[in-house]
Amino acid sequence: MRSFWNALPSEGRWLLSTVAVQTLGRGMTLPFTIIYLHEVRGFDLGFSGALMSLIAITGLVVTGPGGTLIDRLGARRVLIAGLIAMIAGCALLAFATHPLVATIAVMLIGVNFGVSWPGFNALIATVVDGEVRQQYFGINFALVNLGIGVGGVIGGFFVNVDEPATFTAIFLIDAITCLVPLGLLLGPLRHVRTQPAADDTAEEHGGYREILRRPAVLWITALTFLSVFIGYGQMEAGFPAFARQVAEVSTRVVGISFAVNTAVIVLLQFAVLKLISGRRRTRVMQVMALIWAASWVLLGGAGLLPGTLAAAVGVIAYMGVFAFGETMLQPTVPAIYNDLASDRTRGRYNAINSAAFQGGAITGPLVAGVMLGEGRSGWFIGAMVAGAVLVCVLAFVLERVLAPAANGVAVEV
C-alpha cells in the first residue's frame, strides 16, 4: 500500500482519499429509496419500482452522449454538470410528495449515474497508468464498497418509516456528500485535462460504431454485460428473492449477508491485487467466473434446506464467496477498456463499459423476476452457473484478440 500510494500523483491521492466519503451518502439512501417512495410518500409499489428502474434507464440513455461530451469537453466539466444534477435530484426527492416531482428527481439522479462512471474512469486513467492503474481501480472499488456499506448501516439505524423527516435527512446528506467531489473538481483537480488540447490536430479515431468494430472491444463488452447479468444484476433482485422465497431465511440474514459482502471486499481487495499483479486479466476473469459459479451452487444448496440454520449459513456463504469474485472483476475490466482507449476516445470507451454494465443490471432483475415468479428456482440457479461458464468461454476468446499490454502482460521493449 505504501509503494502504491507513493507512486500516485497528488491528483490521484486527492481522488482516492475522498472516495469513501463521497459514497457514504449514497449508501445511506440506496437500500431505502423504494421503501421511502412506497411506505413514506405513499406511492403505489409498482410505480415506486418503475421510478427505481427509471434511474437506470435514464443513466443508460445519457451514457452514450455523455461519453462523447467527455472526449470533446473534458471529464471535469461533464462530471460537474452530473454532480449538480445529482444534488438537485436528491434535494427534490427529499421533499417529493407528488409523483411528478419524484419522477423529475430520479431522472436527475439517473443523469449523474450515466456520466459519473465514464467520467471518473476517464479522469482516473488520465491521472494514473500502467500497473498502478489496475491497482487504483481495485482499491477504488474497495473504498466505494466501504462508503456504501457504512452508509447503509448508518441509514438502517437512523431511518424510521413513521418519521418522514429521517428519510428527508438522508437524502439531503446524500446531496451534501456530492459537494466533496464537486469541490475537488473545482479545486485541486481543476487543471486535469482529459480532452485534447485546442491546437491538437491529430486525427480522431473513435466514433462508437468504429470502436465497436474492434473485436477486442466487442468481446470485452459482451463479457462485461454477461458478468453483470449473473452478478450485480442479481444482487438486488434475484439473490434477495431466492433467499426469502426459496431458502426462506429472515430479512436479518439477508442484511447480514450484504454486510459480509462489504467486509470481504474491503478486507481481501489488497491481497487479491497483489495476487493478480502481472497476470493475464482474461485468466483472472476466468477464475472469477468459476468462483461465482461455486457461489451460485452454494445458494442453490441453501434452497434445498429452506428455513433451516444450514440455509442461513448457505445464504451468507454465497455472499462471501461472491464478494471474493468481485475483487477480481473491478480491477480488470475498467483497466482493459482504458488500455484499449486513446486519450481522444477514453470517454467513449468508458461509456461503452458503463452501458454494458447498466444493461446487465437492468436485464438481470427482469429475468430473475420471471423465473423465480414462476417457481423455477432450480432453473434459475442453473442459468446463473451456465452464465458463469460462458464468461469463462468469452474470456478465452477475448484473450485471442486482446493485445498483451491491454491484457496486463508486461511487454519488453
Side-chain angles (χ1 to χ4, degrees):
M1 183 62 187
R2 182 180 299 174
S3 61
F4 166 76
W5 186 257
N6 290 336
L8 287 179
S10 59
E11 295 86 355
R13 295 177 186 178
W14 274 111
L15 274 170
L16 201 61
S17 61
T18 57
V19 168
V21 178
Q22 293 176 35
T23 55
L24 183 69
R26 190 60 194 150
M28 293 180 71
T29 59
L30 185 62
F32 308 108
T33 302
I34 194 166
I35 296 173
Y36 166 72
L37 293 170
H38 177 55
E39 298 187 36
V40 177
R41 295 308 182 191
F43 300 146
D44 177 78
L45 186 57
F47 178 69
S48 299
L51 287 175
M52 296 296 292
S53 297
L54 188 58
I55 296 175
I57 292 169
T58 304
L60 184 60
V61 169
V62 305
T63 292
T68 301
L69 288 174
I70 288 168
D71 286 331
R72 293 180 179 175
L73 302 178
R76 196 180 71 89
R77 294 177 182 174
V78 176
L79 285 170
I80 289 172
L83 287 166
I84 292 172
M86 182 70 177
I87 292 169
C90 289
L92 274 178
L93 198 57
F95 302 99
T97 56
H98 191 279
L100 179 60
V101 176
T103 301
I104 295 172
V106 298
M107 289 181 70
L108 287 169
I109 292 172
V111 168
N112 180 64
F113 282 10
V115 300
S116 62
W117 184 318
F120 274 111
N121 277 1
L123 205 65
I124 291 167
T126 301
V127 172
V128 296
D129 56 15
E131 185 65 27
V132 176
R133 180 185 291 168
Q134 176 171 293
Q135 294 173 338
Y136 192 107
F137 282 124
I139 295 171
N140 183 77
F141 174 65
L143 293 174
V144 166
N145 274 271
L146 178 62
I148 290 177
V150 172
V153 172
I154 295 173
F157 280 105
F158 180 71
V159 296
N160 185 339
V161 293
D162 296 322
E163 297 182 20
T166 59
F167 284 87
T168 298
I170 63 172
F171 282 103
L172 291 178
I173 290 172
D174 196 2
I176 290 170
T177 56
C178 291
L179 295 175
V180 175
L182 188 61
L184 287 180
L185 294 169
L186 293 173
L189 304 181
R190 66 186 182 278
H191 298 304
V192 177
R193 292 178 58 89
T194 59
Q195 75 273 32
D199 58 352
D200 187 352
T201 58
E203 185 178 355
E204 181 175 352
H205 296 286
Y208 281 113
R209 184 178 300 178
E210 183 177 348
I211 292 172
L212 288 170
R213 283 176 180 167
R214 296 184 64 182
V217 175
L218 204 58
W219 287 113
I220 184 61
T221 301
L223 189 151
T224 302
F225 171 84
L226 184 57
S227 296
V228 175
F229 178 86
I230 66 169
Y232 297 108
Q234 306 304 331
M235 283 186 65
E236 295 182 15
F239 161 69
F242 188 97
R244 291 285 294 145
Q245 297 176 17
V246 183
E248 297 180 7
V249 301
S250 67
T251 53
R252 179 174 297 180
V253 169
V254 175
I256 291 172
S257 68
F258 275 98
V260 168
N261 178 274
T262 298
V264 169
I265 291 171
V266 173
L267 293 174
L268 294 186
Q269 186 67 81
F270 292 99
V272 169
L273 285 170
K274 185 176 181 180
L275 287 173
I276 68 176
S277 178
R279 301 184 186 276
R280 293 180 186 271
R281 291 165 181 162
T282 48
R283 308 283 175 87
V284 174
M285 291 293 292
Q286 289 175 323
V287 174
M288 176 216 74
L290 293 175
I291 291 171
W292 277 4
S295 72
W296 284 112
V297 170
L298 280 171
L299 187 63
L304 298 176
L305 301 166
T308 65
L309 177 61
V313 171
V315 166
I316 294 171
Y318 158 81
M319 269 300 217
V321 175
F322 181 87
F324 181 39
E326 288 183 78
T327 61
M328 300 180 188
L329 175 67
Q330 292 300 333
T332 53
V333 169
I336 290 174
Y337 274 101
N338 281 282
D339 284 348
L340 288 172
S342 67
D343 290 338
R344 299 181 65 87
T345 59
R346 202 169 300 286
R348 277 162 282 189
Y349 272 81
N350 281 293
I352 292 170
N353 178 21
S354 178
F357 194 102
Q358 293 178 69
I362 293 170
T363 56
L366 294 176
V367 173
V370 171
M371 296 186 75
L372 294 175
E374 294 182 356
R376 301 181 183 275
S377 57
W379 285 102
F380 171 73
I381 295 294
M384 297 303 107
V385 174
V389 173
L390 185 54
V391 168
C392 288
V393 175
L394 290 176
F396 175 77
V397 176
L398 174 63
E399 185 172 314
R400 297 170 65 91
V401 297
L402 190 62
N407 204 12
V409 179
V411 180
E412 295 184 4
V413 180

